[in-house]
Amino acid sequence: SSCRLFFPEDPVKIVRAQGQYMYDEQGAEYIDCINNVAHVGHCHPVVVRAAHEQNQVLNTNSRYLHDNIVDYAQRLSETLPEPLCVFYFLNSGSEANDLALRLARHYTGHQDVVVLDHAYHGHLSSLIDISPYKFRNLDGQKEWVHVAPLPDTYRGPYREDHPNPAVAYANEVKRVVSSAQEKGRKIAAFFAESLPSVGGQIIPPAGYFSQVAEHIHKAGGVFVADEIQVGFGRVGKHFWAFQLQGKDFVPDIVTMGKSIGNGHPVACVATTQPVARAFEATGVEYFNTFGGSPVSCAVGLAVLNVLEKEQLQAHATSVGSFLMELLKQQKIKHPIVGDVRGVGLFIGVDLIKDEATRTPATEEAAYLVSRLKENYVLLSTDGPGRNILKFKPPMCFSLDNARQVVAKLDAILTDMEEKVRSCQTLRLQL
């Protein structure tokens, strides 16, 4: 029971997928609104062909010279700020964040980590420890972990009416760091998803990361940007979500996963020469059996080629903006929609019970997602209150898909409101 299915009361058996569509055993077609792993589309022929062709020639570890790993590192470096020029290849986002933690600790000589509330950085023991989303239900918070408030301008302490939420939330990180230092603790790293996903599809205020980095660097730590959910052009305006924070902000370490391989198990850590040299100085080599294999790198290169050839980053901007506009119209029409936030094809719809208190509409969100599934739309919820509808579709998600999904959402919300009104009328009669 610890391995959960989507829609556990009535699970879907998926047997095939293509692009932004998934098909069940009866042949019914579903619009996939949540699969950010199939980044350029399920079973994209270019990616499938790249894996197949390289598999026919060679698939071995990275202890031999091979063009693919060099070419791939070069292509990735062209998307990142110049200081981020050293690449470690791995199999999963969890492995990437675990390595980032090791790199940070070797470089700084410190142990402690600052994270954001409700964060999730992976399923390894080291990462459960820095994921409040998980550790609060397990062994609790370790003494070397320090939690700062999520920079949520809808539900957090500093909201949309605050004159400078970026500085206010960054000062909370400064306060957390100072409190830790007073106890004799030393900060190795600040970990943050560039756009917190499990926390509720949060868009941190611009300038927040630069301010935080300043506080963390003063404490002798490094800034780790977790791009596993949101990198590779998903935000549209930029290739990496951390770039939304301004051109002057450069993390010390960037971690990648999920979308990097379009379903193939690929991950990467990008960092600077000084951080990498400190890691080398330990004398302990880093080796990953499958990381950086010729097949994995061929797949990674194919994903980059598709993103470029099909102009999917620009597509994310245009379709995402259109979807946001449609959803904002739903906010005007339906009181249950408290907030619509997002950038590119990373969007959250915050459902509430009451406008004044912004109480999460948890049960209503679960019901809505179930009804959408019955209408052949796959969507899920996130956030501490499980009340945020999360849109993270494959990047080929179209304008027509956006229209269809929002039309179905509108019809179900309208039906829900009519049922509530009829119940209220019945109560008055009783």
Side-chain angles (χ1 to χ4, degrees):
S1 63
S2 61
C3 300
R4 293 169 57 191
L5 293 166
F6 281 134
F7 320 108
E9 303 303 318
D10 185 23
V12 186
K13 184 177 181 181
I14 296 295
V15 298
R16 184 170 66 88
Q18 190 71 48
Q20 65 273 46
Y21 302 104
M22 303 185 89
Y23 301 87
D24 69 15
E25 57 188 329
Q26 308 299 326
E29 180 182 88
Y30 295 80
I31 301 175
D32 183 358
C33 298
I34 49 175
N35 202 320
N36 60 337
V37 176
H39 190 58
V40 299
H42 291 280
C43 304
H44 195 290
V46 171
V47 180
V48 171
R49 191 181 313 117
H52 176 62
E53 289 178 357
Q54 183 57 54
N55 247 325
Q56 289 183 307
V57 179
L58 174 71
N59 194 22
T60 186
N61 62 53
S62 58
R63 290 193 193 273
Y64 303 97
L65 295 175
H66 198 277
D67 289 346
N68 284 10
I69 192 168
V70 179
D71 293 345
Y72 190 35
Q74 178 63 40
R75 285 285 296 280
L76 284 173
S77 74
E78 291 164 7
T79 70
L80 287 160
E82 195 173 332
L84 294 163
C85 59
V86 181
F87 299 87
Y88 299 88
F89 293 105
L90 320 90
N91 308 304
S92 72
S94 289
E95 280 193 345
N97 279 335
D98 180 73
L99 178 58
L101 182 57
R102 288 177 61 193
L103 289 168
R105 284 174 166 167
H106 282 298
Y107 177 67
T108 63
H110 299 168
Q111 178 76 7
D112 290 26
V113 176
V114 179
V115 294
L116 295 175
D117 206 359
H118 310 297
Y120 175 61
H121 292 290
H123 63 80
L124 301 181
S125 295
S126 61
L127 305 175
I128 297 293
D129 286 343
I130 64 168
S131 298
Y133 168 70
K134 289 288 186 182
F135 71 57
R136 290 221 165 94
N137 297 316
L138 295 167
D139 299 332
Q141 186 172 337
K142 300 288 196 295
E143 63 177 357
W144 54 270
V145 177
H146 313 281
V147 180
L150 189 67
D152 180 354
T153 55
Y154 184 68
R155 294 186 172 280
Y158 311 110
R159 299 188 174 184
E160 64 271 17
D161 56 353
H162 191 280
N164 198 336
V167 170
Y169 278 114
N171 283 339
E172 289 292 325
V173 175
K174 183 181 180 182
R175 178 186 59 76
V176 167
V177 169
S178 298
S179 175
Q181 289 175 325
E182 286 167 11
K183 297 170 188 169
R185 311 298 307 187
K186 293 183 177 180
I187 305 300
F190 173 83
F191 268 75
E193 289 181 271
S194 298
L195 299 175
S197 180
V198 169
Q201 305 289 96
I202 304 300
I203 312 298
Y208 169 69
F209 279 2
S210 296
Q211 296 275 332
V212 168
E214 196 175 311
H215 301 318
I216 294 298
H217 288 153
K218 278 182 183 174
V222 297
F223 192 112
V224 181
D226 179 338
E227 289 274 338
I228 291 162
Q229 295 265 20
V230 292
F232 292 89
R234 176 161 295 279
V235 299
K237 295 177 186 175
H238 301 283
F239 199 79
W240 303 105
F242 72 77
Q243 292 169 320
L244 292 165
Q245 292 286 318
K247 65 179 186 300
D248 295 329
F249 171 68
V250 180
D252 302 289
I253 301 173
V254 174
T255 58
M256 313 166 200
K258 292 191 187 295
S259 54
I260 187 173
N262 211 59
H264 187 87
V266 188
C268 180
V269 176
T271 191
T272 63
Q273 286 283 3
V275 172
R277 278 196 286 266
F279 193 53
E280 291 165 16
T282 64
V284 178
E285 71 164 338
Y286 180 77
F287 174 68
N288 187 305
T289 303
F290 303 109
S293 74
V295 171
S296 291
C297 292
V299 166
L301 283 162
V303 170
L304 294 179
N305 289 338
V306 173
L307 282 167
E308 190 175 312
K309 186 176 180 182
E310 298 184 9
Q311 299 182 312
L312 292 179
Q313 189 178 330
H315 182 79
T317 296
S318 58
V319 176
S321 298
F322 180 68
L323 178 56
M324 280 276 287
E325 189 54 44
L326 293 180
L327 291 168
K328 284 178 178 176
Q329 290 170 17
Q330 296 302 300
K331 181 179 182 294
I332 295 166
K333 185 175 180 181
H334 302 289
I336 193 173
V337 179
D339 189 37
V340 176
R341 51 183 175 261
V343 57
L345 285 172
F346 178 88
I347 297 170
V349 178
D350 197 317
L351 302 184
I352 57 172
K353 291 181 184 287
D354 177 79
E355 190 176 359
T357 62
R358 301 183 178 180
T359 305
T362 305
E363 298 81 5
E364 292 86 345
Y367 174 78
L368 179 56
V369 163
S370 176
R371 286 283 304 276
L372 281 167
K373 188 263 287 185
E374 292 169 6
N375 283 270
Y376 306 103
V377 173
L378 300 177
L379 195 63
S380 66
T381 59
D382 234 326
R386 304 298 302 179
N387 66 304
I388 316 295
L389 304 179
K390 60 176 179 180
F391 288 85
K392 295 183 293 186
M395 295 274 278
C396 47
F397 188 84
S398 69
L399 294 171
D400 192 48
N401 294 147
R403 288 188 198 94
Q404 291 177 56
V405 170
V406 176
K408 290 179 179 183
L409 182 71
D410 182 23
I412 295 166
L413 287 175
T414 301
D415 182 55
M416 288 168 66
E417 287 163 357
E418 286 171 359
K419 283 179 178 169
V420 168
R421 277 194 291 272
S422 64
C423 289
Q424 287 172 338
T425 305
L426 181 61
R427 277 200 293 273
L428 286 171
Q429 289 172 352
L430 292 171

